[in-house]
Amino acid sequence: MATYLQEQWSTLASITYRSNVVLPELMDRRWEPEIGIGQGDTVNIPTFSQNTSATKRSTFGTGADLTFDGVTESQVQLVINQMAYKAFSMPVEMNDQAMSIYVPLLIDGIGEAVALTVDSELASDNSNGIDGFSQTQGTDNVDVTEDDLIAAETQLDEANAPLNDRFLVISPATRGSLMKLDVFKNSLYAASVGNVDGSKGRGYLSSVYTYDIYVSNNLEAGTSGKKNGLFQREAIAYAAQKGLTVVKDLNIEEGLINQYAGYMVYGFKEVKDTFGVEIAGK
């Protein structure tokens, strides 16, 4: 009888979800409009050091000579030298016979895969990612404590990092660590009284002290734990010269193959090392 029992293929797919893309929108993207298509591969970012003190006249009421400071400034280069892509192909007859949802799912997946690659690089680049900050707090694979976070925040304060646009990006396991602390549990109550800021991006959890907290499952691994980060937006510059672009082609020579590819051209650079702190944890 089993021969005559028909089977059905559902048009509703069970999707394996990817991690949220968190980091690109937390980077300093002010220079993105200056490096559009056809505008080269480098943005020279001039640095400027604010004056921190003045000189007092040694003897009031006299015309003593003034001391002049020499003006010396430098620059940081944001180089557009990265390309991430995702591609797939299938014979035309398979394309014709596949369920209508299949190819759109594949194409949607291109954008997600490219975005996750960029997100991962911003987390894990040892020189220009959030795991490249020279200042560190915490211990690998150990609960992040309130003392760790206060110490990290103090390092940003001592570097005169602006109080706005500060972000703490943590792993799901570190979120579990912080939920043991009253100050973080209490910060979640804002949602129950309608105070959640709808402008926050994906992964936003809450706000504590001087920073917004985001959860990412795409952070760099430590020896056993994860490398979280507390930083002010100006710490890392990021620019996408060519946003996600999906192209399709028919390869006749190799057998009538439909080919799909998506890519993005971008670059990023750590600009202000003291505006970020790597926080080891779970």
Side-chain angles (χ1 to χ4, degrees), residues 223-237:
T223 302
S224 301
K226 289 288 186 178
K227 298 180 180 180
N228 310 284
L230 175 65
F231 57 95
Q232 203 276 340
R233 189 186 298 276
E234 294 182 30
I236 300 174

Side-chain angles (χ1 to χ4, degrees), residues 102-124:
Y102 185 54
V103 172
L105 282 173
L106 288 174
I107 293 175
D108 287 346
I110 287 176
E112 294 176 5
V114 171
L116 275 172
T117 296
V118 176
D119 192 67
S120 179
E121 283 194 88
L122 289 169
S124 62

Side-chain angles (χ1 to χ4, degrees), residues 19 37 42 44 46 49 59 76 80 88 93 109 112 114 125 148 157 166 174 177 182-183 194 202 212 219 222 226:
S19 169
I37 302 301
T42 303
N44 290 305
S49 301
T59 304
V76 175
I80 308 300
F88 67 90
E93 63 270 27
E112 294 176 5
V114 171
D125 187 281
D148 293 330
D157 292 340
R166 289 185 177 188
T174 294
S177 299
D182 286 341
V183 64
R202 285 184 293 182
D212 295 335
L219 297 179
K226 289 288 186 178

Side-chain angles (χ1 to χ4, degrees), residues 189-257:
Y189 293 159
S192 65
V193 293
N195 292 329
V196 174
D197 188 343
S199 67
K200 305 299 184 184
R202 285 184 293 182
Y204 174 72
L205 178 63
S206 65
S207 298
V208 171
Y209 301 136
T210 62
Y211 47 82
D212 295 335
I213 305 173
Y214 287 79
V215 179
S216 171
N217 204 26
N218 208 24
L219 297 179
E220 173 78 347
T223 302
S224 301
K226 289 288 186 178
K227 298 180 180 180
N228 310 284
L230 175 65
F231 57 95
Q232 203 276 340
R233 189 186 298 276
E234 294 182 30
I236 300 174
Y238 168 80
Q241 185 176 48
K242 180 76 170 178
L244 179 69
T245 302
V246 178
V247 294
K248 176 187 176 183
D249 191 27
L250 176 62
N251 187 332
I252 298 175
E253 183 178 359
E254 296 184 8
L256 290 174
I257 305 295

Side-chain angles (χ1 to χ4, degrees), residues 33-92:
E34 300 181 345
I35 193 68
I37 302 301
Q39 294 182 295
D41 67 348
T42 303
V43 179
N44 290 305
I45 303 173
T47 62
F48 180 78
S49 301
Q50 292 283 6
N51 294 318
T52 58
S53 64
T55 302
K56 295 181 63 177
R57 190 184 290 280
S58 57
T59 304
F60 184 78
T62 64
D65 292 342
L66 302 182
T67 300
F68 292 88
D69 297 329
V71 178
T72 57
E73 302 296 344
S74 60
Q75 66 184 33
V76 175
Q77 290 190 324
L78 170 58
V79 181
I80 308 300
N81 59 358
Q82 307 289 330
M83 187 188 84
Y85 74 92
K86 185 70 175 178
F88 67 90
S89 64
M90 66 174 65
V92 291

